[in-house]
Amino acid sequence: MKAVVHTEYGGPEVLRLVEVDRPAPRDAEVLVRVRACSLNASDWEGLRGTPAYARIGGLRRPRRHVLGSDVAGTVESVGARVTAVGPGDDVFADVLGRNGGLAELVVVPERALAPMPSGMTYVEAAAVPQAAAIALHGIRTKGRVRPGDRVLVNGAGGGAGTYAVQLAKLDGAEVTAVDNAEKLDLLRSLGADHVVDYRTHDYTAAGRTYDLVLDLAGHRSVRHSARAIAPGGRYLFVGGSLRSLLGVLLLGPLVGLRGRRRIRVLAVGLGVRQVTPLVELVLAGDVRTVVDRVYPLAEAPEALRRLGEGHALGKVVVEVDAAGAPPH
Ligand SMILES: NC(=O)c1ccc[n+]([C@@H]2O[C@H](COP(=O)([O-])OP(=O)(O)OC[C@H]3O[C@@H](n4cnc5c(N)ncnc54)[C@H](OP(=O)(O)O)[C@@H]3O)[C@@H](O)[C@H]2O)c1
């Protein structure tokens, strides 16, 4: 089968489209013919090997050679113990931590997939898994957002952020969306009440505070981030630099003592079965999946470049095998 592989860390130029052996599913695994695969920041991090946590399990060379953790496609064959799906079924899945969907076929553990929502194209379904899981955990867990809360989403123009902005608005929050200038019109169109260009303004230095900051691109010290949290408010670090991650982990609870602020790392349990509430909102037309561009498999390096170099408005999707796919 064809796959886009990388055997060293680097830019998109280290990716190669090659023929590799067809993978075989084990007992509790499913072989999926990939129709579409969406890219996440974690794919860019896995390609570059930075931040350092992207090298867990592969310090010098990548452990996973095929990127692309969010996939939608058709079951090709199943292992002996698989009961939930069979050949021909359309499924979507999150395979983070394993070889991914920038390939014609991918092996998925049965527990990591679910039937594809009817009414979605492969491209739309592939855009959902990781972004939806992050947004739901960040905004909806434990009724985090109450009407009238001030919510700031840092890194709002990407996959998780575009969902998070819309969920916070649905929950009645006053939403501030932070990203680069190219993305601010999109964020306004998704309902953001205020927008901030991170390249020219530092939201932590503006003297405003928020009940919830969802930080999808954390690069500040914990003390700086704390300046933007209202007393009793919450800061959730989702992704960003290793230094910021460690700062939040080690110092967050201490720094937060003043003003009863909760400053934590949000560990998102990934998996498509938990994203049903967001899928329902998308199918009802209450939340929009923002797809930036769709590329063919051979142009996966360009797709990753677009994501990594800061031009993607929402999700970048790679269409792997368009044969038989409904139009997107
Ligand atoms: N905690 C967990 O369990 C978990 C699980 C999976 C993923 N993650 C993390 O979740 C994060 C979000 O993922 P995603 O797929 O939504 O990412 P994404 O689609 O790449 O979006 C990230 C957005 O942040 C923007 N950005 C970059 N630097 C920024 C800065 N300094 N200030 C404000 N915005 C900035 C990017 O804009 P540009 O285009 O300008 O770069 C982009 O629009 C990633 O860091 C990923 O590693 C966490």
Side-chain angles (χ1 to χ4, degrees), residues 43-126:
D43 293 307
W44 180 249
E45 293 165 358
L47 174 65
R48 314 263 317 162
T50 179
Y53 59 68
R55 294 189 183 223
I56 291 173
L59 197 57
R60 290 168 161 271
R61 292 183 176 276
R63 178 174 50 100
R64 293 191 307 144
H65 292 169
V66 185
L67 297 165
S69 55
D70 288 358
V71 297
T74 310
V75 173
E76 185 93 348
S77 63
V78 300
R81 284 197 282 120
V82 171
T83 54
V85 293
D89 290 348
D90 281 336
V91 294
F92 72 144
D94 179 344
V95 292
L96 188 67
R98 305 169 59 99
N99 269 331
L102 292 180
E104 289 176 314
L105 295 162
V106 64
V107 167
V108 182
E110 184 186 17
R111 63 185 151 71
L113 57 70
M116 205 170 93
S118 55
M120 276 192 192
T121 64
Y122 294 115
V123 166
E124 286 164 348

Side-chain angles (χ1 to χ4, degrees), residues 39-45 51 53 69-70 94 96 130-131 133-134 137 153-162 178-183 187 196-199 201 203 215-220 237-241 245 265-270 306-316:
L39 302 177
N40 291 287
S42 48
D43 293 307
W44 180 249
E45 293 165 358
Y53 59 68
S69 55
D70 288 358
D94 179 344
L96 188 67
Q130 198 181 112
I134 294 173
H137 275 264
V153 181
N154 189 40
T162 47
V178 185
D179 212 300
N180 79 51
E182 278 182 52
K183 309 190 188 189
L187 291 166
V196 177
D197 177 359
Y198 76 80
R199 292 184 177 155
H201 289 83
Y203 75 86
D215 200 348
L216 303 160
H219 295 284
R220 294 181 173 80
F237 177 98
V238 183
S241 71
L245 169 70
V265 172
L266 181 74
V268 180
L270 302 172
R306 182 163 174 85
L307 178 80
E309 293 185 351
H311 305 299
L313 301 170
K315 298 288 298 186
V316 175

Side-chain angles (χ1 to χ4, degrees), residues 10-324:
E13 65 283 354
V14 303
L15 292 163
R16 286 170 298 120
L17 179 66
V18 293
E19 286 288 331
V20 298
D21 290 341
R22 189 185 160 97
R26 286 186 295 203
D27 281 359
E29 293 178 336
V30 175
L31 184 65
V32 175
R33 179 157 293 279
V34 182
R35 306 292 191 186
C37 170
S38 85
L39 302 177
N40 291 287
S42 48
D43 293 307
W44 180 249
E45 293 165 358
L47 174 65
R48 314 263 317 162
T50 179
Y53 59 68
R55 294 189 183 223
I56 291 173
L59 197 57
R60 290 168 161 271
R61 292 183 176 276
R63 178 174 50 100
R64 293 191 307 144
H65 292 169
V66 185
L67 297 165
S69 55
D70 288 358
V71 297
T74 310
V75 173
E76 185 93 348
S77 63
V78 300
R81 284 197 282 120
V82 171
T83 54
V85 293
D89 290 348
D90 281 336
V91 294
F92 72 144
D94 179 344
V95 292
L96 188 67
R98 305 169 59 99
N99 269 331
L102 292 180
E104 289 176 314
L105 295 162
V106 64
V107 167
V108 182
E110 184 186 17
R111 63 185 151 71
L113 57 70
M116 205 170 93
S118 55
M120 276 192 192
T121 64
Y122 294 115
V123 166
E124 286 164 348
V128 168
Q130 198 181 112
I134 294 173
L136 282 168
H137 275 264
I139 301 295
R140 285 264 162 111
T141 302
K142 298 180 194 150
R144 221 160 242 161
V145 175
R146 285 159 305 182
D149 276 2
R150 286 155 300 160
V151 172
L152 181 140
V153 181
N154 189 40
T162 47
Y163 280 146
V165 166
Q166 296 178 81
L167 284 179
K169 279 305 291 178
L170 280 179
D171 291 347
E174 179 183 335
V175 178
T176 301
V178 185
D179 212 300
N180 79 51
E182 278 182 52
K183 309 190 188 189
L184 301 185
D185 283 345
L186 167 70
L187 291 166
R188 277 193 206 93
S189 78
L190 295 176
D193 301 286
H194 315 283
V195 292
V196 177
D197 177 359
Y198 76 80
R199 292 184 177 155
T200 55
H201 289 83
D202 177 356
Y203 75 86
T204 68
R208 292 191 194 91
T209 58
Y210 301 89
D211 301 297
L212 171 65
V213 170
L214 185 66
D215 200 348
L216 303 160
H219 295 284
R220 294 181 173 80
S221 74
V222 63
R223 284 180 204 287
H224 276 83
S225 296
R227 293 191 303 208
I229 313 300
R234 192 188 294 262
Y235 169 89
L236 296 172
F237 177 98
V238 183
S241 71
L242 184 62
R243 177 188 275 231
S244 293
L245 169 70
L246 292 176
V248 173
L249 270 178
L250 300 174
L251 299 175
L254 192 66
V255 172
L257 281 178
R258 213 168 129 237
R260 293 179 296 105
R261 297 169 172 86
R262 283 155 294 180
I263 300 175
R264 303 275 188 276
V265 172
L266 181 74
V268 180
L270 302 172
V272 282
R273 290 183 190 164
Q274 63 184 317
V275 302
T276 306
L278 203 138
V279 165
E280 286 170 357
L281 289 169
V282 171
L283 293 176
D286 294 328
V287 166
R288 180 152 73 91
T289 300
V290 181
V291 175
D292 173 66
R293 279 195 192 174
V294 181
Y295 291 81
L297 183 61
E299 292 175 25
E302 279 318 302
L304 273 152
R305 191 184 301 282
R306 182 163 174 85
L307 178 80
E309 293 185 351
H311 305 299
L313 301 170
K315 298 288 298 186
V316 175
V317 183
V318 172
E319 208 163 18
V320 178
D321 179 359

